[in-house]
Amino acid sequence: MEKVFIFDTTLRDGEQIPGACLNPREKLEIALQLARLKVDAIEAGFPISSPGDFDAVKGIAEKVKGPTIVALARAVREDIETAWNAIKGAEKPRIHVFLGTSDVHIQKKFGIDRDKALERGLDALKFAKSLCPDVEYSTEDASRTDPDYLARVVEQVIAAGATVVNIPDTVGYAVPQQFGKLIVFLRERVPNIDQVVLSVHCHNDLGLATANTLAAVENGARQVECTVNGLGERAGNASLEEIVMAIRTRKDYFNFSTSVNTREIMRTSNLVSRLMGMTVQANKAIVGANAFAHSSGIHQDGILKDRATYEIIRPEDLGIAKHAMILTARSGRHALRDKTSSMGYDLNEDEFEAVYKGFLSLADKKKRVYDEDVDIIIQDVIFAHLLNNRLYSLESYKVHTGNGKTPEATVRLRREEVILEASSQGGGPIDAIFKAIDKIVGAFHKLEDFQVRAVTETKEAMGVATVRVSRDDFRALGRGSSTDILEASAKAYVEAINRISCFMQHQSEACQSGNKLTPQN
Ligand code: KIV
Ligand code: ZN
């Protein structure tokens, strides 16, 4: 069976989603998990975009072994040099240069003509090649490019030394048959096409990213660019888990293989969802909460008689545990270690001991410790170097509210030994709490996203609140859990504010929103 190479761009295109914001340690955790998933290449970031992204890519290049580590660069010398400086410590580095080939990109974005654009692309490629033997070239917006011009660009970048040529459907405009034909056309028209790995990169604006990717594979593409949970710019990218499981489940049809260890899919999906604060929709193919839930009586009856009646994938093959480990005060180190690794974290001994201590003190107060609790303890521990001057913690809150009343909250926060208190009214109880917290902190925070989710199904359901806030050019994610959703929200808000304050002090670790470049700039 021929192999299809899996190029994961969760940490680059996936991280371009509005509000996503991973710091270098979070990016490293995801990259380590992608290596366990056994993807062939990890696009770790766009190093010119911010000092934080440069540091993140460099850290991944130095620490993650196995996959090729890729850094993105526009067809600009400074970008390419910065990309190379970030990845040169990798076992297998690759520079990924991209430049638009459609007339709309060439004329409207760059204000030049096709020949000039080609010359610019070739110069950039040659410069990248002088630094790194493995260079990928992307013909951005290829699906809306004149095919003859596209073929000319592809032929010349191969002659100039590209090792991978990527054909992106940047705006998700293609349809499967047509996209498949484009790949056939390039293979027939470009005489040196066999000297490179032909790649595709599909966006999901029409919901066709996975279908377009598979059509390209059937017609000769041998690298696919994709993201975990389909995250990415606008409607997202082709989803890694969908492509891998389609190729595996329908190997009778495709007759291809990938090197992905599918048993790591669920763990990877959960880790990405938690760290990026992006909940996976319940009916998402492969990794959604309902992907293996059978509710109709007829289906349940069929499944009980023979799973093959209504199930084409075995949940075990994705690493979905049959027996969830329940953590209580009686759980020991072994069970906790099992839990932290099943959540995708790679903790060293000191970090694990600190998490264990946090777990014991929480388990003393609660009957059951949930994954979300463990996650919050881990976050505290692994970011301890940033949060060692943890500024605020929630002491208590009170809210007066009711029908027809303006909610009023009084919040008490602890800052080292000092208790600070403020009250505020708000549009709702949560708004009042957040405003009171802002008063204590003495700064206004813009709430960019706020979600509350129940994590258990009993009446005393644990609520997990996730907030994303920004102040000036900085933004951060905070999470809090409690059986009381107001308390969970307050904790999450305080956590996000602590992170922002720390990021502001440690600028290079920061996730800066305002001045962060995206490849579209
Ligand atoms: O969508 C796109 O064209 C891209 C390129 C940078 C490969 O993300
Ligand atoms: Zn893209």
Side-chain angles (χ1 to χ4, degrees):
M1 257 192 270
E2 242 189 288
K3 177 171 165 171
V4 174
F5 292 92
I6 303 294
F7 174 115
D8 179 276
T9 181
T10 309
L11 295 175
R12 200 278 298 168
D13 221 329
E15 221 236 351
Q16 276 170 231
I17 50 174
C21 169
L22 295 168
N23 63 42
R25 174 64 201 253
E26 289 168 323
K27 282 190 116 182
L28 178 62
E29 283 294 333
I30 292 177
L32 288 166
Q33 179 55 30
L34 289 170
R36 286 191 282 269
L37 183 66
K38 295 211 178 325
V39 300
D40 299 286
I42 297 173
E43 186 161 51
F46 182 36
I48 194 81
S49 68
S50 71
D53 211 42
F54 178 90
D55 288 347
V57 177
K58 192 163 185 289
I60 290 169
E62 283 158 8
K63 295 190 188 97
V64 178
K65 306 292 167 211
T68 297
I69 306 298
V70 187
L72 186 70
R74 290 168 300 186
V76 172
R77 278 179 101 87
E78 194 196 349
D79 278 34
I80 295 169
E81 226 158 15
T82 309
W84 175 241
N85 287 333
I87 52 160
K88 63 186 174 200
E91 215 174 49
K92 291 180 254 168
R94 179 188 297 169
I95 300 176
H96 179 186
V97 177
F98 73 101
L99 186 70
T101 47
S102 62
D103 285 338
V104 62
H105 276 232
I106 293 176
Q107 289 161 13
K108 298 280 157 44
K109 243 171 83 171
F110 312 125
I112 53 178
D113 63 19
R114 289 180 180 183
D115 289 341
K116 188 86 199 131
L118 178 53
E119 193 186 313
R120 190 182 284 185
L122 288 172
D123 281 351
L125 176 72
K126 286 177 196 154
F127 179 56
K129 193 74 187 175
S130 72
L131 302 171
C132 180
D134 191 0
V135 178
E136 171 166 339
Y137 191 90
S138 274
T139 53
E140 193 189 14
D141 205 18
S143 54
R144 293 193 300 163
T145 297
D146 167 23
D148 291 330
Y149 177 64
L150 183 64
R152 184 149 78 93
V153 173
V154 171
E155 183 178 347
Q156 296 203 25
V157 296
I158 297 173
T163 42
V164 179
V165 171
N166 184 38
I167 308 297
D169 180 24
T170 303
V171 289
Y173 180 75
V175 290
Q177 274 204 337
Q178 178 201 30
F179 198 55
K181 279 189 193 149
L182 179 63
I183 300 300
V184 172
F185 165 79
L186 290 172
R187 290 180 62 217
E188 285 171 0
R189 173 68 79 86
V190 177
N192 52 2
I193 197 95
D194 291 338
Q195 294 171 20
V196 286
V197 174
L198 194 55
S199 168
V200 288
H201 174 114
C202 298
H203 279 269
N204 205 28
D205 300 64
L206 294 174
L208 293 171
T210 300
N212 285 332
T213 304
L214 293 172
V217 167
E218 270 193 271
N219 286 289
R222 288 295 174 269
Q223 173 180 281
V224 296
E225 302 198 353
C226 47
T227 58
V228 175
N229 300 339
L231 295 175
E233 194 68 36
R234 303 180 312 276
N237 287 59
S239 138
L240 179 148
E241 60 278 5
E242 290 172 18
I243 296 167
V244 167
M245 290 314 290
I247 290 177
R248 186 179 195 266
T249 309
R250 296 304 312 275
K251 58 178 171 295
D252 60 313
Y253 177 77
F254 289 109
N255 202 24
F256 291 121
S257 66
T258 72
S259 57
V260 166
N261 175 2
T262 63
R263 289 181 167 260
E264 292 292 335
I265 283 181
M266 208 58 217
R267 194 198 311 255
T268 315
S269 164
N270 287 337
L271 184 73
V272 167
S273 161
R274 272 200 306 271
L275 292 184
M276 287 208 175
M278 296 292 294
T279 310
V280 176
Q281 76 194 58
N283 61 331
K284 165 82 180 63
I286 317 295
V287 291
N290 292 350
F292 295 96
H294 301 275
S295 58
S296 96
I298 295 172
H299 287 206
Q300 288 174 348
D301 179 59
I303 285 282
L304 291 171
K305 287 178 176 145
D306 187 333
R307 285 168 61 160
T309 49
Y310 289 103
E311 228 167 61
I312 57 165
I313 297 169
R314 296 184 318 158
E316 309 84 279
D317 292 345
L318 303 171
I320 297 175
K322 276 205 202 120
H323 308 290
M325 187 82 77
I326 293 174
L327 294 178
T328 67
R330 287 179 302 282
S331 308
R333 282 186 173 74
H334 189 181
L336 185 66
R337 184 55 106 171
D338 184 72
K339 177 64 78 188
T340 59
S341 10
S342 78
M343 291 169 75
Y345 287 105
D346 194 29
L347 303 176
N348 65 34
E349 275 314 309
D350 290 346
E351 288 171 338
F352 178 75
E353 280 310 312
V355 170
Y356 184 60
K357 222 167 119 198
F359 161 74
L360 286 182
S361 94
L362 190 67
D364 271 351
K365 295 182 213 134
K366 294 178 65 168
K367 270 199 232 141
R368 179 175 169 173
V369 177
Y370 293 92
D371 287 9
E372 277 69 15
D373 295 317
V374 176
D375 196 41
I376 288 163
I377 299 171
I378 295 174
Q379 297 277 325
D380 273 3
V381 168
I382 62 182
F383 301 117
H385 69 292
L386 282 177
L387 300 176
N388 54 8
N389 53 349
R390 166 184 276 280
L391 297 169
Y392 302 99
S393 58
L394 181 72
E395 274 291 302
S396 64
Y397 79 91
K398 261 190 318 221
V399 184
H400 292 290
T401 188
N403 281 357
K405 279 193 181 159
T406 305
E408 176 156 359
T410 302
V411 177
R412 303 182 92 201
L413 299 185
R414 174 183 290 277
R415 183 174 180 168
E416 290 171 3
E417 297 314 312
V418 185
I419 302 291
L420 302 151
E421 185 178 302
S423 301
S424 176
Q425 293 190 330
I430 290 176
D431 185 43
I433 290 175
F434 290 177
K435 283 191 170 130
I437 294 173
D438 273 359
K439 266 194 188 170
I440 296 175
V441 174
F444 169 74
H445 295 88
K446 182 163 176 252
L447 187 64
E448 297 198 341
D449 190 26
F450 172 59
Q451 294 173 30
V452 182
R453 176 169 74 83
V455 289
T456 51
E457 281 154 18
T458 61
K459 275 198 187 149
E460 308 87 62
M462 275 271 297
V464 173
T466 307
V467 301
R468 206 188 301 278
V469 298
S470 62
R471 190 200 311 173
D472 304 330
D473 265 353
F474 295 86
R475 62 180 174 222
L477 191 76
R479 263 179 295 248
S481 65
S482 169
T483 47
D484 168 352
I485 56 164
L486 294 181
E487 183 177 318
S489 309
K491 281 181 175 171
Y493 196 72
V494 171
E495 182 66 33
I497 288 178
N498 281 336
R499 282 185 169 213
I500 285 212
S501 308
C502 293
F503 288 162
M504 290 175 99
Q505 285 164 24
H506 302 257
Q507 294 242 358
S508 77
E509 300 262 6
C511 201
Q512 288 165 283
S513 54
N515 54 6
K516 188 168 170 172
L517 269 177
T518 68
Q520 275 63 42
N521 293 138

